[in-house]
Amino acid sequence: MSTPASVASVRARLSVPTLRFRDGGGLLYSTLARLVASGAAVHRADLVERAGLARSTVTRHLDALIEAGVVVEGGGVPRGGRGRPPQLLALNPRAGLVAVADIGARDARLAIADLSQNPLATAHIAVDLAQGPEAVLGQIEESLRALHASTSDGDAPLCAVAVGLPGPVDHAAGAPVRPPIMPGWDGYPVGDVLAERFGCVVLVDNDVNLMALGEARSLPEEQLPLLFVKVSTGIGGGLVSADGELHRGADGAAGDIGHLPVTSAGAAEMVCRCGKAGCVEAVASAAVMVRTLNAGRAAGSSALRSTGDLVGLVAHGDPEALRVVRAGAERIGEVVALLLHVYNPARVVLGGALAGAGDELLAGVRSVVYRQALPLATRRLVLEPSTLGEHAGRVGGTVLAVEHVLSPDGVMDLMERRLDRSTQAAPAS
């Protein structure tokens, strides 16, 4: 599946706090900064209208953001008619940067972005999770520092880092919880370790949650709630509510759909990496499909080594690869049909490495979903591949990090640090 070039620079929608009478301080600064950062307000009149506040209140708080160097103003906004054009508002790209590390089973996608979500530098590196957290996080740190230094704003500080991991994550603790494909990572304080190294907040989440958030915030709001299904080495899900927020559940286990049981013939005999039998991940993940194909190949034939090899066979119309992918799609469709009645999403998105296998996966899932789910759950359902493709995790991680930096507490801290730097840099009188 190809990804349009415009996806690489997509600016996703940021959530904006709801203001109430007497709200002030950090919440007001946060609201104004997020409206500017997401492009929802491009000049002062926009801010007054979108924030629903008195012009004097907006002016006072906006001027403080400009004085602190968080927001910049300049350049006229084109418009018809006479009169002076309003001045364009934007987040100061040098106010601070965010970093994203979207770590998968075999590789990691890294990015440095400014607070307006513009990607300044990206990289794609190989990782081996079996080496353990110290080695892998050391590699991630080194690569992110090199990316940061390579940007034109390399002297701008990192304000937040978002990390996606391919397994269950306790978001509040910033640590993975018994991740099946990450030996030695259980309970490791990824967030605390990287926060100490980078000197900023580190937000750790499941990788599919980042993909789901990126996808949801890049789509029209009427296409939410959203269920993102990642089909790759494993199978995972991410849930985004109608208001655009991630639904993690009480302990971060929401969306861990790879361990839902399927009822297909023979599924109960398949033991999953979690130790249970019959999980959809044990019968329909890309890793299982690759093993199935390798077991059936003639002696002397070269073995498939990765999901990419499987996708290549499907693209060339290999009959056995097509059969295996279609069988897996039916089992994934069973789980999606079940989830429609639990969550009732407006949109189901298929992503992950196997989503690049043409229409075979999508058609198979659709067939089962529309056959098994009731009409009320499917009459307006949109079931499509990811619009962001491989960029989904990067976009979601950027949104997560930027929203933290521009949160009420985060933006106050950013303003204070910017003013402190300005004072230190000012020449003595």
Side-chain angles (χ1 to χ4, degrees):
M1 179 181 64
S2 61
T3 302
S6 60
V7 166
S9 57
V10 67
R11 182 190 286 189
R13 185 174 59 257
L14 300 180
S15 67
V16 178
T18 300
L19 290 172
R20 300 161 300 180
F21 183 66
R22 296 184 183 276
D23 282 335
L27 187 61
L28 266 172
Y29 291 125
S30 175
T31 298
L32 300 182
R34 290 195 195 197
L35 287 170
V36 171
S38 62
V42 297
H43 52 72
R44 289 176 182 256
D46 273 353
L47 276 180
V48 172
E49 180 179 352
R50 292 299 302 270
L53 299 171
R55 182 178 296 274
S56 59
T57 302
V58 170
T59 296
R60 184 169 67 255
H61 287 82
L62 177 61
D63 286 346
L65 286 167
I66 293 173
E67 181 183 357
V70 175
V71 173
V72 292
E73 186 176 32
V77 179
R79 70 173 187 179
R82 298 181 178 181
R84 181 181 177 183
Q87 297 296 291
L88 185 68
L89 295 171
L91 264 289
N92 180 3
R94 306 188 72 84
L97 305 177
V98 299
V100 178
D102 180 18
I103 304 173
R106 295 186 176 86
D107 56 10
R109 297 184 182 276
L110 312 177
I112 302 292
D114 64 25
L115 297 183
S116 290
Q117 303 179 59
N118 300 308
L120 305 179
T122 60
H124 186 194
I125 63 173
V127 296
D128 182 3
L129 297 178
Q131 291 182 344
E134 291 86 356
V136 173
L137 295 182
Q139 183 184 2
I140 295 297
E141 178 193 1
E142 181 180 357
S143 298
L144 282 179
R145 289 194 185 281
L147 269 188
H148 184 200
S150 74
T151 69
S152 58
D153 294 316
D155 59 340
L158 282 180
C159 296
V161 178
V163 178
L165 297 176
V169 170
D170 183 335
H171 176 68
V177 181
R178 301 182 66 181
I181 64 171
M182 303 173 69
W185 288 73
D186 181 30
Y188 189 84
V190 174
D192 290 344
V193 168
L194 290 181
E196 184 175 353
R197 296 180 184 180
F198 284 109
C200 66
V201 169
V202 175
L203 308 164
V204 185
D205 215 322
N206 176 267
D207 61 343
V208 192
N209 277 351
L210 296 189
M211 295 176 186
L213 184 63
E215 194 79 22
R217 296 295 187 83
S218 303
L219 292 167
E221 293 180 80
E222 60 267 21
Q223 295 192 29
L224 305 180
L226 177 142
L227 165 64
F228 192 104
V229 179
K230 177 188 175 185
V231 186
S232 191
T233 303
I235 295 176
L239 304 172
V240 178
S241 62
D243 60 0
E245 298 299 323
L246 277 171
H247 175 69
R248 298 186 178 92
D251 299 299
D256 199 3
I257 66 174
H259 304 289
L260 291 176
V262 293
T263 58
S264 302
E269 301 172 4
M270 303 292 289
V271 178
C272 182
R273 289 176 295 195
C274 71
K276 297 179 174 59
C279 299
V280 65
E281 185 172 301
V283 298
S285 68
V288 169
M289 294 182 194
V290 168
R291 287 201 301 270
T292 301
L293 281 172
N294 282 336
R297 293 176 78 81
S301 300
S302 57
L304 278 69
R305 294 177 295 177
S306 67
T307 304
D309 293 341
L310 171 60
V311 171
L313 286 179
V314 172
H316 286 88
D318 181 88
E320 189 60 19
L322 290 173
R323 184 191 67 78
V324 169
V325 170
R326 287 167 183 164
E330 288 188 10
R331 289 161 175 174
I332 295 168
E334 287 183 42
V335 169
V336 173
L338 171 67
L339 292 171
L340 290 188
H341 295 293
V342 174
Y343 192 57
N344 189 206
R347 189 180 185 100
V348 174
V349 176
L350 294 184
L354 201 57
D359 292 329
E360 297 301 326
L361 183 69
L362 180 65
V365 172
R366 274 180 175 164
S367 174
V368 176
V369 166
Y370 285 100
R371 185 170 70 245
Q372 293 190 1
L374 294 176
L376 181 61
T378 60
R379 62 181 180 178
R380 286 195 294 266
L381 176 69
V382 177
L383 205 166
E384 294 287 347
S386 168
T387 60
L388 299 180
E390 64 186 24
H391 300 285
R394 189 263 300 167
V395 173
T398 301
V399 168
L400 194 68
V402 168
E403 287 192 345
H404 177 83
V405 176
L406 300 182
S407 66
D409 289 338
V411 75
M412 293 294 286
D413 180 61
L414 180 63
M415 293 172 69
E416 184 177 344
R417 286 190 285 116
R418 291 286 303 173
L419 289 171
D420 286 345
R421 289 179 65 185
S422 299
T423 301
Q424 294 170 6
S429 57

